[in-house]
Amino acid sequence: MLVVTILFFALLFLNMPVAFAIGISSVTFFFFEPGLPVEISTQRMIAGTQSFPLLAVPFFILAGNLMNASGITKRLMAFAQALTGHLVGSLAHVSIVLSTVMGGVSGSANADAAMQSRILGPQMMARGYSGGYTVGVIALSSLITATIPPSIGLILYGYVGEVSIGELFLAGIIPGILMMALLMVAAYIIAKKRGYDQEQVMKRASFKEVLTTFRKSFWALLFPVILVVGIRLGVFTPSEAGAFAVVYALIIGFLVYRELDWKSFKQAVGQSVTDNAIILLIISTSSILGFLITYDRLPQSTAEFLLGVTSSPSLLLILILIFLIFAGMFIESTVLVLLLTPIFLPIITQIGVDPVHFGILMMTIVTFGGMTPPVGVTMYTVCSLTNVSIEDYVKESFPFIICIFILIGLLTFVPEISMFLPNLF
């Protein structure tokens, strides 16, 4: 496995796409293991995509793209503005609240950040917000989509680790809302100190105006509620929920809002095909590596090593989380979930940590890696779309990063935050 690891990072360093880096490095293992037929690699690639729960991923990606093309985004933005437009740094708060409600639509941090960079980014900088502050707010608030259902990462974690996706969806709601609150506090303090928007702050929206914007965005806000309740009550499985989400998006787009036309429908389907091709290629090549990890007894070896370092469950969990933080800085979150879940899940189960609780921690941390140097996909996305330098982003996103670490600390030592709703239901 050492050769595989070295080759994998070498290929990443050469900017090879992640799926090919995983596939090529994994196949080399067979040439160093004479008794292992190379044909297994092809079998594992096919088997890795033949999973009923995995159907949820392409369905939710298509539903998210259809909803974005249906005029849902601008209605959610109007609702967020009615709630927070009167606060100092109003557009920053709009971005954070929008990420919270958009989490139930897009399911993807990068998709949410890209959308806000195009829509809110120019508005914020035109009103005097610094570039670094603007992209810091947009990028770090998109992390909320890692926990708010239907998070694509939580679906993948549940699929790989055989953990209830319904419980994961419930467990992510309170951490997502708490993350929103912490980021809003940081955004307000900085905006107040710098005088952002103080002369352009809107008057507080009346109850009638809030109600009007809520009514217009009602169908979008209802979507994640139906998903969570439907899955938890056994009305449909996560895969069936994904199919329902597509039908729901089509009905809302064509019949309710009437903004989804044939042209935008084709664009949404085309974007979904591209998104799904990337994810499923990563999943299929990761299946080869997953087989090799099991074949080489890496989970057992890692468990023995970590348990030899310390017998304290809390310290062991902290060591795993620190490792995930550094891993997230170099490798995309989807890849980490597929590669590391089979390794770490048996260990945390053995030390008495609930797999649902660990799933929320893991997804928050590995998705957060996408907002940090040196290989943060979301970081590069927002900076390139807004023409803000990486240096400015890193410097001004620091207060928001502190908020994320505070949240991770709370979730780690107070598991009831994540487990309250799953236990309640």
Side-chain angles (χ1 to χ4, degrees), residues 63 67 140 181 207 209 245 281 286 311 344 350 358-359 375 396-397 422:
M67 287 189 172
L140 271 300
F207 179 73
E209 289 171 327
L281 185 58
S286 297
S311 58
F344 287 136
Q350 187 175 340
F358 180 71
V375 194
E396 299 209 40
S397 63

Side-chain angles (χ1 to χ4, degrees), residues 97-211:
V97 174
L98 184 59
S99 289
T100 308
V101 293
M102 277 295 291
V105 177
S106 71
S108 164
N110 199 47
D112 181 44
M115 178 274 298
Q116 291 205 33
S117 295
R118 294 188 187 98
I119 298 174
L120 274 176
Q123 291 185 46
M124 291 175 71
M125 287 188 281
R127 281 170 60 166
Y129 295 79
S130 71
Y133 176 83
T134 297
V135 293
V137 168
I138 291 173
L140 271 300
S141 66
S142 71
L143 181 58
I144 298 171
T145 62
T147 64
I148 293 286
S151 162
I152 302 298
L154 288 180
I155 295 172
L156 289 175
Y157 172 83
Y159 153 69
V160 175
E162 298 182 356
V163 181
S164 167
I165 294 174
E167 287 190 28
L168 287 167
F169 279 1
L170 281 171
I173 294 173
I174 294 178
I177 293 172
L178 189 57
M179 193 185 306
M180 177 193 75
L182 288 170
L183 291 174
M184 286 182 72
V185 169
Y188 179 84
I189 292 171
I190 297 169
K192 186 80 173 175
K193 184 178 179 180
R194 298 183 182 178
Y196 290 155
D197 252 359
Q198 291 195 12
E199 296 178 1
Q200 297 169 298
V201 171
M202 299 166 51
K203 67 180 181 68
R204 183 187 293 270
S206 66
F207 179 73
K208 183 179 179 181
E209 289 171 327
V210 173
L211 204 60

